[in-house]
Amino acid sequence: MSDGLAFPLLAGRVAVITGGAQGLGAGTAEVLAGQGARVFLLDLQEGRAQELAAQLPGDGHAGLRCDVTNADERSRAIQRVHEAAGRIDILVNNAGVQFHSRAEEIEDEKWYWLMEINVHAVLFMSRDVGRMMLRQGRGSIINIGSIASVLSMPRRTPYVTAKTAILGLTRTLAVEWASRGVRVNAVCPGYHETPLLMEHIDRGTLDGNRILKRIPMGRLGTIEDVGKAVLFFASDLSDYVTGQHLLVDGGYTAFGAPEDAS
Ligand SMILES: NC(=O)c1ccc[n+]([C@@H]2O[C@H](COP(=O)([O-])OP(=O)(O)OC[C@H]3O[C@@H](n4cnc5c(N)ncnc54)[C@H](O)[C@@H]3O)[C@@H](O)[C@H]2O)c1
């Protein structure tokens, strides 16, 4: 391999993953821990985060209660990670929510709720952990966007708006912090096998068969598919990459013909 790369790729690194108790956050935790990172899962579901942390490969992982929209809970959780591990090398802003509504029927409260989690908390977590990373002179922040960061989707105005904002946030922080050793990138998943997606398919708000026909690779992504892309940005594999986004979508956004992908 090229000069300067040591394996496992994240040996000695400390990673914080928001919304890490299930879904893509859990898959990412598995991949990062598998490459030697010590992982802290910050989630509303403290018990579930703790259970998952106990099952990850390696030692020292923990699940912590943290509502990313609550300033006190954010600073308490960051403080606890700092006391336990002394540093944070990797922050994955993964916690996110979604709801469907026709644009003309969007309720104010639901718009603000989604923005709080999907946009504001990403900035606040990045700012607070970013300060620590800037002091360290090293860090990698990975924001979880979506194919909705680059595509429009009917009945998802709040989600599309939030996930598009994530790319602007990513690029701006990246440029501001580039010379001080902190990189900021985004991973934009397509359709992956997670509770969030399965819930929509079960409720009938999404049609699973139509989604599959629209994915050139012909399958949903796994949670580890996202974790592997996060690993690229978290590790020194991407040490000259900042301000970028990577679509992990089985070819979904590359596909523009009107017929089925097959
Ligand atoms: N599932 C997909 O196919 C898909 C596709 C594109 C993008 N995404 C994005 O990936 C991320 C993860 O999605 P997922 O499908 O794994 O979701 P999920 O609903 O399965 O898991 C989200 C996790 O975030 C936690 N969470 C929610 N609100 C929180 C808060 N205020 N504070 C702390 N934790 C909170 C939940 O408890 C849960 O553990 C989201 O940002 C989502 O928008 C998912």
Side-chain angles (χ1 to χ4, degrees), residues 18-25 42-45 66-69 93-97 117-118 144-147 159 163 188-197:
T18 68
Q22 67 178 44
L24 301 184
L42 274 49
D43 207 293
L44 294 173
Q45 306 181 76
C66 177
D67 177 347
V68 291
T69 66
N93 282 308
N94 165 78
V97 290
I117 300 170
N118 290 14
I144 303 300
S146 163
I147 51 175
Y159 188 73
K163 290 300 187 183
C188 298
Y191 289 95
H192 294 259
E193 287 174 47
T194 61
L196 184 83
L197 180 70

Side-chain angles (χ1 to χ4, degrees), residues 97-115:
V97 290
Q98 187 182 162
F99 70 91
H100 290 211
S101 170
R102 291 184 187 283
E104 66 273 25
E105 290 161 8
I106 293 168
E107 295 164 21
D108 296 19
E109 294 72 24
K110 292 194 87 174
W111 169 275
Y112 289 125
W113 167 74
L114 185 143
M115 290 298 159

Side-chain angles (χ1 to χ4, degrees), residues 147 190-193 197-198 201 206-222 249-252 255 259-262:
I147 51 175
Y191 289 95
H192 294 259
E193 287 174 47
L197 180 70
M198 294 310 165
I201 291 176
L206 289 173
D207 180 337
N209 288 327
R210 281 186 71 187
I211 291 170
L212 278 183
K213 283 187 183 166
R214 177 67 181 70
I215 301 173
M217 284 190 177
R219 68 167 176 89
L220 294 176
T222 66
D249 65 358
Y252 191 97
F255 176 54
E259 66 269 25
D260 294 344
S262 55

Side-chain angles (χ1 to χ4, degrees), residues 162-174:
K163 290 300 187 183
T164 305
I166 287 303
L167 299 192
L169 180 58
T170 299
R171 284 193 291 266
T172 313
L173 295 182

Side-chain angles (χ1 to χ4, degrees), residues 8-86:
L9 288 164
L10 303 180
R13 310 267 172 104
V14 177
V16 166
I17 304 175
T18 68
Q22 67 178 44
L24 301 184
T28 297
E30 188 74 37
V31 173
L32 300 192
Q35 284 297 320
R38 181 173 178 187
V39 176
F40 291 84
L41 304 168
L42 274 49
D43 207 293
L44 294 173
Q45 306 181 76
E46 186 178 18
R48 199 162 176 163
Q50 287 171 346
E51 274 168 38
L52 180 67
Q55 290 161 16
L56 293 173
D59 299 317
H61 313 298
L64 303 176
R65 155 85 200 182
C66 177
D67 177 347
V68 291
T69 66
N70 181 303
D72 291 340
E73 291 199 21
R74 277 195 311 267
S75 71
R76 207 173 310 131
I78 294 168
Q79 183 63 29
R80 282 184 66 187
V81 177
H82 189 251
E83 282 163 14

